[in-house]
Amino acid sequence: MAKKRKPSSIKGAPRAYDPHFRGPVVNRSCTDVLCCVIFILFIMAYILLGLAAWVNGDPRRVAYPTDSQGYFCGQKGTPNENKSILFYFNLLTCTSPSVVVNLQCPTTQICVSKCPERFLTYMEIQFKYKNDSKYWTYYSQFCRTTFLKPVETLSQVLLDNDCPSAIYPSKPFLQRCFPDFSTKNGTLTVGNKTVFDDGSGKTRNAAELRRAANGINKALDARAIGVKVFEDYATTWYWILIGLTIAMLLSWMFVMLLRFTAGLLFWIFTFGVIGIIAYGIWRCYLEYSRLQEHPGSQLNVYTIGIQTDISMYFRLKQTWFALMVILCLLELFIILMLIFLRDRIRISIALLKEGSKAIGYIPSTLIYPALTFFFLSVCISYWAVVALYLATSGAPIYKVIAPQGRCEHENKTCDPVGFNSTEIAKACPGAQCHFAFYGGKSLYHQYITTFQLLNLFVFLWLINFVIALGQCALAGAFASYYWALKKPDDIPPYPLFTAFGRAIRYHTGSLAFGSLILAIIQMFRLILEYMDKRLQKAQSNISKFLKCCLRCCFWCLEKAVKFLNRNAYVMMAIYGKNFCKSARDAFNLLMRNILKIAVMDRVTDFVLILGKILVAGCIGVLAFLLFTKRLPVIIEGPTSLNYYWVPLLTVIVGSYIIAHGFFSVYAMCIETIFICFCEDLERNDGSTEKPYFITPTLHGILNKKQLVPQKQKK
């Protein structure tokens, strides 16, 4: 009597299979309910946190500069409504160490409607006022208190901080008055003067004033760059949208073509990427040759130092040489990959064709990336708004600031009302009570930092949940395609909608569980990076080595968890089990087919990455020619940009993300089909009673076995 064949032809198959299995399990129960409850509670707490931040925060505190009393400059409905510019009484004190520590200049700051346009001192005003009262009228607008005439002595003015001891020609910059510097015959001047009286009897030069202005600029450089970047976005936003739209159409066209000409399109991807990288090498060589002949070609990175203006680095031949070397190495890597993987590319093309069939039968899967993008946009926007409102929560907090930074009471909280008559003012001559930040003593304000961490953690959790939901829904839809014996007749109606509903109804807790694990790992990575930035100067060689090891370990752990989670979601979409059981089954299945996984995963990813690079590269080349005004005959681009690389990088990164959204559907389709194929081999033997669900052509390529003839549509 012939021995009955086991359901699995692979040693170590752990499960007893249902012989009547014909696709994703329909009768399911809710999985990981406890994690689902915790996830919902966290979302409710997140909403309450957003409401509390909205009640206590004020984003206008970021948009408007703040004077020494904590009042906004230029805010509507206040006495400073028409005074939108911040004026510093004594800018020369901004060279104090306290500027670096507190990011505050230890001098009185008031809101004014315009910056001073001439040199005047308080001593001069006392004499000129007697002949012409207009001098005092002009000078008094830069005083904190309005006087009919300059009655106070200079020492009293300096003590009470009612008026500046001197004013200099200035211009508004980032809503702040800064000296009007210029160069005359190679000499730095302020208002055509190289030396001037500071109002206290000392003669100062323009270089001293420049150092003081730089002390403030260190705290404002980031905002200055932000303003310029915003201007570039305001100028090029419609060009960016056009570029991203073209990227979407190009990605959609490639996805459609993959269904009919996967082999041809692969070589288009390959030679297209090779051609784009070759163009980049040629462009870098031209720029390098041009700068080689430039008079300032001897400048290098060490000469110019660290610059906030990134465009400065593109004026160095070293930058273009480094880019040329990087592109050459990338070109060489792609060519070597093609040479060594030429036999495996056939497998990848076959999988792409099968994935194209699945997407062709379920075209709604191509629309799903737009839904994922919408959910991600909502999460990112909510996180940014909550973070902004939390950062601007509270009442004004004032702290003691000493000009020389040598006061024992420095950084202590204080009350600006009557500060000059307190013991601190007597113990530290020249100390002032200035606005520092917004905060409070309530329980809410004491835990602002904790709330920011909670905001970041829930944000990471939600982002990973949205991605997991998409992966599970797509896996369920493509699994319905695979386990249909007669395609497309046996494919259930609305497979994506059905799979999405199953994932939400039964597996929210499991998806939240997998997302939680990933969010915890990412949170640890961010905390590690933050600590590295804060303690960078205090690190020893051993601590730096340990930091690099931890960073590498967490990176590898995150990649491994992402890979395992993705396959667990596929098993969950098919069998409806909880996260732990699905992850275990997926891991065991992958280990039993490790060689096939290594071939399929890496080669297919390589092909899809080529497609993403091609889309981003094509749009990037067009954007580069447009934003650098190299297409004046065909189309007129933006006339003036601060940093042309800002919209250029935005278009390239945005195009890559859009292409990734489209091609990720392919990646999930191929991965689901491959997991189902491995399950199919363990369930069935190709006989009439147990036919394979995969097409004979693809089965022959993946498994290299002769199939028993069966009635199945290709």
Side-chain angles (χ1 to χ4, degrees):
M1 183 176 180
K3 186 182 292 184
K4 187 177 181 180
R5 188 168 183 172
K6 293 181 180 179
S8 174
S9 60
I10 297 177
K11 186 178 180 180
R15 300 188 304 276
Y17 296 110
D18 178 10
H20 303 290
F21 181 80
R22 288 296 182 270
V25 176
V26 177
N27 298 322
R28 307 184 178 213
S29 59
C30 295
T31 57
D32 296 309
V33 178
L34 178 60
C35 194
C36 179
V37 173
I38 295 174
F39 182 61
I40 294 174
L41 291 177
F42 263 87
I43 292 178
M44 294 174 62
Y46 197 31
I47 295 173
L48 293 177
L49 177 62
L51 293 175
W54 181 74
V55 171
N56 292 276
D58 189 353
R60 294 175 299 178
R61 295 167 181 172
V62 177
Y64 300 102
T66 310
D67 64 12
S68 297
Q69 303 300 314
Y71 299 119
F72 302 133
C73 297
Q75 183 183 355
K76 293 183 179 181
T78 66
N80 291 331
E81 181 176 355
N82 298 321
K83 299 178 179 181
S84 59
I85 308 172
L86 190 67
F87 173 72
Y88 299 88
F89 270 25
N90 187 4
L91 198 64
L92 292 166
T93 62
C94 297
T95 56
S96 168
S98 62
V99 176
V100 180
V101 177
N102 303 304
L103 297 179
Q104 287 285 340
C105 184
T107 186
T108 303
Q109 303 162 32
I110 63 170
C111 301
V112 296
S113 57
K114 64 178 182 178
C115 296
E117 301 169 346
R118 64 183 80 169
F119 283 102
L120 278 176
T121 66
Y122 187 79
M123 293 291 292
E124 292 175 338
I125 288 298
Q126 288 183 315
F127 293 101
K128 292 182 178 182
Y129 164 75
K130 298 176 182 179
N131 298 324
D132 190 351
S133 60
K134 291 182 180 179
Y135 281 97
W136 174 246
T137 303
Y138 178 81
Y139 196 89
S140 62
Q141 63 183 328
F142 305 107
C143 292
R144 189 170 62 176
T145 307
T146 303
F147 301 102
L148 296 177
K149 58 182 180 178
V151 294
E152 294 183 332
T153 62
L154 178 61
S155 58
Q156 191 175 0
V157 165
L158 295 177
L159 180 63
D160 296 339
N161 290 312
D162 286 330
C163 291
S165 59
I167 58 175
Y168 321 109
S170 305
K171 286 185 176 181
F173 175 70
L174 296 177
Q175 293 182 273
R176 289 162 174 82
C177 290
F178 283 99
D180 185 12
F181 293 109
S182 60
T183 304
K184 187 176 183 181
N185 297 326
T187 304
L188 185 67
T189 63
V190 179
N192 295 325
K193 285 187 178 183
T194 56
V195 294
F196 52 89
D197 187 358
D198 68 352
S200 60
K202 296 180 181 180
T203 301
R204 305 286 187 134
N205 57 48
E208 293 180 83
L209 202 58
R210 164 68 83 179
R211 286 194 296 270
N214 286 340
I216 301 176
N217 281 334
K218 289 179 181 177
L220 298 177
D221 274 345
R223 183 172 177 179
I225 294 175
V227 170
K228 292 181 180 180
V229 168
F230 179 79
E231 291 175 353
D232 290 340
Y233 279 131
T235 305
T236 61
W237 65 270
Y238 50 93
W239 293 109
I240 293 174
L241 288 180
I242 291 174
L244 297 180
T245 303
I246 295 174
M248 182 179 66
L249 295 176
L250 193 61
S251 301
W252 180 81
M253 182 185 71
F254 282 156
V255 168
M256 290 292 101
L257 289 176
L258 274 173
R259 182 183 178 188
F260 305 104
T261 58
L264 175 63
L265 205 59
F266 165 76
W267 294 113
I268 292 176
F269 285 171
T270 303
F271 290 113
V273 170
I274 291 175
I276 288 174
I277 296 177
Y279 171 79
I281 295 172
W282 176 71
R283 173 58 62 183
C284 291
Y285 175 76
L286 290 181
E287 294 291 338
Y288 176 79
S289 301
R290 182 181 64 82
L291 292 173
Q292 186 77 17
E293 302 172 356
H294 197 271
S297 62
Q298 301 304 319
L299 292 176
N300 53 45
V301 176
Y302 300 102
T303 304
I304 67 173
I306 299 175
Q307 297 287 331
T308 54
D309 185 0
I310 301 179
S311 62
M312 289 290 293
Y313 295 105
F314 290 98
R315 301 172 190 172
L316 304 177
K317 63 178 184 180
Q318 282 184 341
T319 303
W320 294 103
F321 181 77
L323 289 174
M324 184 171 62
V325 171
I326 292 172
L327 290 177
C328 287
L329 292 176
L330 183 60
E331 187 91 325
L332 180 62
F333 172 76
I334 292 175
I335 293 173
L336 290 177
M337 287 285 287
L338 291 173
I339 294 173
F340 288 107
L341 296 177
R342 60 186 183 276
D343 294 331
R344 305 299 183 183
I345 288 173
R346 179 166 161 264
I347 300 175
S348 178
I349 293 175
L351 286 169
L352 287 173
K353 289 181 178 179
E354 189 68 19
S356 299
K357 289 181 182 179
I359 293 175
Y361 291 137
I362 314 175
S364 57
T365 53
L366 291 176
I367 306 175
Y368 193 85
L371 184 62
T372 300
F373 178 78
F374 172 75
F375 286 149
L376 292 178
S377 300
V378 171
C379 293
I380 293 172
S381 301
Y382 188 82
W383 166 78
V385 170
V386 172
L388 178 62
Y389 273 86
L390 284 174
T392 56
S393 295
I397 300 297
Y398 304 89
K399 288 194 173 184
V400 177
I401 297 178
Q404 301 302 322
R406 297 178 180 176
C407 177
E408 61 178 350
H409 301 287
E410 190 170 17
N411 286 327
K412 289 185 177 180
T413 56
C414 58
D415 187 356
V417 179
F419 174 77
N420 292 333
S421 60
T422 61
E423 295 296 328
I424 296 178
K426 296 177 182 178
C428 303
Q432 299 178 18
C433 183
H434 281 183
F435 165 77
F437 54 86
Y438 290 93
K441 297 181 179 180
S442 67
L443 187 64
Y444 169 80
H445 296 106
Q446 291 176 7
Y447 288 94
I448 288 292
T449 304
T450 305
F451 291 150
Q452 287 284 22
L453 291 175
L454 178 63
N455 180 34
L456 178 61
F457 176 73
V458 181
F459 164 71
L460 293 175
W461 196 357
L462 287 173
I463 288 292
N464 288 300
F465 177 82
V466 169
I467 296 174
L469 177 62
Q471 292 173 344
C472 188
L474 290 172
F478 293 127
S480 299
Y481 159 82
Y482 183 91
W483 294 107
L485 187 61
K486 295 182 180 180
K487 302 175 179 62
D489 297 338
D490 292 344
I491 299 177
Y494 311 111
L496 180 61
F497 179 79
T498 304
F500 181 83
R502 280 200 301 258
I504 288 290
R505 181 177 178 183
Y506 298 110
H507 305 303
T508 297
S510 298
L511 297 175
F513 191 10
S515 306
L516 176 62
I517 297 172
L518 199 54
I520 292 173
I521 296 172
Q522 293 171 343
M523 194 69 182
F524 272 112
R525 286 191 65 191
L526 291 175
I527 292 174
L528 185 64
E529 294 293 334
Y530 175 77
M531 293 177 64
D532 177 45
K533 298 296 183 183
R534 296 287 292 180
L535 305 175
Q536 195 166 15
K537 295 182 179 180
Q539 289 179 356
S540 62
N541 292 331
I542 297 177
S543 62
K544 290 180 180 179
F545 174 75
L546 293 175
K547 174 203 68 179
C548 292
C549 291
L550 285 174
R551 183 181 295 174
C552 181
C553 290
F554 275 110
W555 182 84
C556 294
L557 181 61
E558 181 180 352
K559 294 297 181 182
V561 170
K562 280 184 177 180
F563 177 76
L564 185 60
N565 280 9
R566 190 166 60 249
N567 289 280
Y569 299 145
V570 175
M571 300 298 285
M572 188 188 306
I574 297 174
Y575 296 108
K577 297 181 181 180
N578 62 33
F579 177 79
C580 292
K581 292 182 179 179
S582 298
R584 180 200 62 192
D585 294 342
F587 179 79
N588 291 333
L589 184 65
L590 295 176
M591 289 300 100
R592 295 194 298 273
N593 298 272
I594 188 65
L595 294 179
K596 293 186 180 71
I597 290 293
V599 172
M600 182 280 302
D601 198 45
R602 296 282 71 87
V603 177
T604 307
D605 283 350
F606 175 69
V607 175
L608 294 178
I609 287 174
L610 288 180
K612 299 172 192 176
I613 295 176
L614 180 61
V615 172
C618 290
I619 304 301
V621 170
L622 292 176
F624 175 78
L625 296 175
L626 178 67
F627 295 137
T628 54
K629 302 177 183 178
R630 287 177 168 83
L631 292 174
V633 179
I634 302 175
I635 189 171
E636 185 68 27
T639 55
S640 61
L641 292 175
N642 296 303
Y643 311 117
Y644 76 86
W645 50 267
V646 170
L648 176 62
L649 289 180
T650 303
V651 169
I652 293 175
V653 174
S655 300
Y656 186 86
I657 292 174
I658 289 173
H660 176 75
F662 278 90
F663 286 105
S664 64
V665 175
Y666 253 95
M668 200 66 206
C669 177
I670 292 171
E671 193 153 358
T672 303
I673 289 175
F674 193 82
I675 291 290
C676 292
F677 166 71
C678 295
E679 285 282 290
D680 195 5
L681 287 183
E682 296 187 359
R683 285 180 170 277
N684 305 303
D685 54 14
S687 62
T688 307
E689 294 78 14
K690 295 181 179 179
Y692 289 122
F693 285 77
I694 196 170
T695 57
T697 304
L698 187 58
H699 181 277
I701 293 175
L702 290 177
N703 207 43
K704 297 182 180 179
K705 288 184 180 180
Q706 186 67 34
L707 288 178
V708 177
Q710 55 178 298
K711 297 180 181 180
Q712 178 180 346
K713 291 186 179 182
K714 293 185 179 181

